[in-house]
Amino acid sequence: MAGGPEHVAIIMDGNGRWATGKGWPRLVGHRKGAERVKEIVRCAPDLGIRWLTIYAFSTENWKRSTREVLGLMTLFARYIQREAEGLSSEGVRMRFIGERKRLDPRLQDLMAWIEERTRNNTRLNLTVAINYGGRDEIARAIRILAQRVESGELAPDAIDEVCLSDTLDTRDLPDPDLVIRTSGESRVSNFLLWQSAYSEYEFSPVLWPDFTPEVLAEIVSRYGHRERRFGGVRV
Ligand code: IPE
Ligand code: IPE
Ligand code: MG
């Protein structure tokens, strides 16, 4: 049996459908989704989760309307400002993965600020993926390695799986044990492509704004009955 998952990664999907289904603008769904994040962050340590990684904005999400993109960016900034105190008192260390340069400089500053402010917290490691794409992350890492090779600092033969892992945005994170996607879609949408090579997947029909700590607890308990073999055989 697998025991409990220490690192859970979540593709938080379904905010738009949740809102439009009720006749409301998509942003209302995103706002409700942000409330869910607070609850899930609060309950995660009690479920034995030490690492929680959530997908908030993909490198493909720029295709959405300016209104929706700006609304999401505003929500991210507001979340950081409003939650800073609570995260600190709950022992949450917050990090971000994804390409930051395309984000508003003020948001980048807030991200750096909260990372620094929460860096000594150890109860839960919360990582938020913003402007994150697995392919983009791997391409950026390869560019860094190529520059090291060009400068003579790194031999091509020294590039192995560990070396590449250590160059990704997730270099300080363990691989996820369990990846959950909400809203009934069974796809990965460019999330943690390299890191989830041996992760277990759960596709839940629940829309993210309806995703309660109870739903998470049930998924986590199901995970405990899975057998992870990592390519080996059961002995
Ligand atoms: C997930 O909800 C949040 C983001 C991708 C930012 P969606 O906005 O994708 O919601 P649906 O899939 O359209 O319902
Ligand atoms: C994935 O959801 C990205 C996030 C949850 C941030 P999308 O809604 O963007 O994915 P697709 O378009 O359905 O694949
Ligand atoms: Mg979606």
Side-chain angles (χ1 to χ4, degrees):
M1 296 300 172
E6 286 209 345
H7 184 179
V8 173
I10 308 181
I11 303 171
M12 308 182 290
D13 197 17
N15 294 351
R17 274 164 286 167
W18 182 87
T20 50
K22 295 179 185 315
W24 295 333
R26 294 177 59 84
L27 270 171
V28 176
H30 294 314
R31 242 176 267 139
K32 179 73 182 174
E35 292 301 316
R36 284 299 177 206
V37 170
K38 289 183 204 168
E39 285 175 53
I40 294 302
V41 166
R42 221 166 287 135
C43 80
D46 299 330
L47 296 171
I49 296 167
R50 297 213 41 229
W51 300 81
L52 180 67
T53 301
I54 54 179
Y55 203 8
F57 193 90
S58 75
T59 46
E60 286 73 36
N61 286 147
W62 297 103
K63 293 176 192 161
R64 299 186 179 197
S65 71
T66 311
R67 185 196 186 92
E68 183 168 352
V69 169
L70 282 180
L72 282 164
M73 296 297 158
T74 306
L75 263 183
F76 301 150
R78 209 176 287 159
Y79 181 91
I80 296 171
Q81 285 165 323
R82 293 197 180 155
E83 289 307 295
E85 198 67 48
L87 291 174
S88 298
S89 64
E90 287 163 28
V92 179
R93 178 172 184 173
M94 194 171 187
R95 295 178 174 88
F96 296 91
I97 53 172
E99 202 277 319
R100 299 189 192 197
K101 279 185 280 191
R102 192 169 170 186
L103 304 175
D104 185 295
R106 280 165 304 183
L107 178 57
Q108 291 184 43
D109 287 348
L110 275 174
M111 289 158 70
W113 171 77
I114 192 119
E115 282 182 328
E116 183 55 32
R117 179 173 171 165
T118 61
R119 63 178 298 167
N120 293 321
N121 297 341
T122 54
R123 190 157 175 263
L124 178 72
N125 290 281
L126 170 67
T127 303
V128 184
I130 298 182
N131 192 24
Y132 176 87
R135 288 181 172 182
D136 175 69
E137 178 191 36
I138 292 168
R140 282 188 285 112
I142 290 172
R143 237 161 15 234
I144 291 169
L145 295 178
Q147 280 156 3
R148 286 191 198 143
V149 168
E150 196 180 31
S151 69
E153 198 189 313
L154 180 72
D157 282 351
I159 298 175
D160 56 12
E161 292 183 16
V162 174
C163 173
L164 183 52
S165 290
D166 287 347
T167 315
L168 296 172
D169 297 350
T170 51
R171 66 187 81 86
D172 297 325
L173 277 60
D175 286 342
D177 299 302
L178 173 65
V179 179
I180 300 168
R181 182 173 187 143
T182 61
S183 89
E185 309 291 359
S186 317
R187 56 177 171 265
V188 174
S189 301
N190 210 1
F191 190 46
L192 301 177
L193 298 181
W194 171 274
Q195 299 85 343
S196 64
Y198 268 100
S199 303
E200 299 290 324
Y201 278 90
E202 274 273 346
F203 297 101
S204 164
V206 177
L207 301 174
W208 177 251
D210 291 327
F211 196 87
T212 57
E214 290 71 32
V215 179
L216 178 62
E218 200 202 307
I219 292 174
V220 163
S221 94
R222 240 193 334 266
Y223 170 93
H225 298 289
R226 292 179 177 215
E227 188 198 343
R228 299 179 73 188
R229 286 187 289 273
F230 300 99
V233 287
R234 196 175 180 178
V235 284

